[in-house]
Amino acid sequence: MAIPFRRRKFEIEPLARQDARALAQLLLEDFIRPWTDGEFDTLLQQDPVFGFIARESGNPKASPGGFVLARLA
């Protein structure tokens, strides 16, 4: 029996410091030692660090669907 899958649409936006808490919450789902919102905030203050967050279209209060975080080297 197939499990129904609801296709969702996302908007991709640049990460901002105010996203730190949402990122930390997302990592709680799968990591033994997830980063804290403070750790994300510290990273996002650094000039070479950037990223993007996927937010469900039309549902700004939903938890993010994912994110990409990178450091320019």
Side-chain angles (χ1 to χ4, degrees):
M1 173 183 244
I3 297 173
F5 178 75
R6 182 176 68 91
R7 186 176 293 244
R8 300 184 296 169
K9 293 185 179 186
F10 292 92
E11 296 176 21
I12 307 300
E13 302 171 353
L15 277 174
R17 286 181 63 193
Q18 59 264 29
D19 295 318
R21 180 170 294 230
L23 300 179
Q25 290 290 54
L26 190 58
L27 288 189
L28 284 174
E29 296 176 16
D30 293 315
F31 288 83
I32 293 170
R33 199 308 209 168
W35 292 351
T36 66
D37 55 340
E39 289 169 314
F40 276 112
D41 185 57
T42 298
L43 282 168
L44 292 170
Q45 290 180 61
Q46 298 173 20
D47 285 335
V49 175
F50 66 98
F52 299 92
I53 190 167
R55 298 185 195 283
E56 189 172 358
S57 298
N59 191 359
K61 295 196 183 230
S63 61
F67 70 93
V68 172
L69 185 66
R71 179 187 307 267
L72 183 62

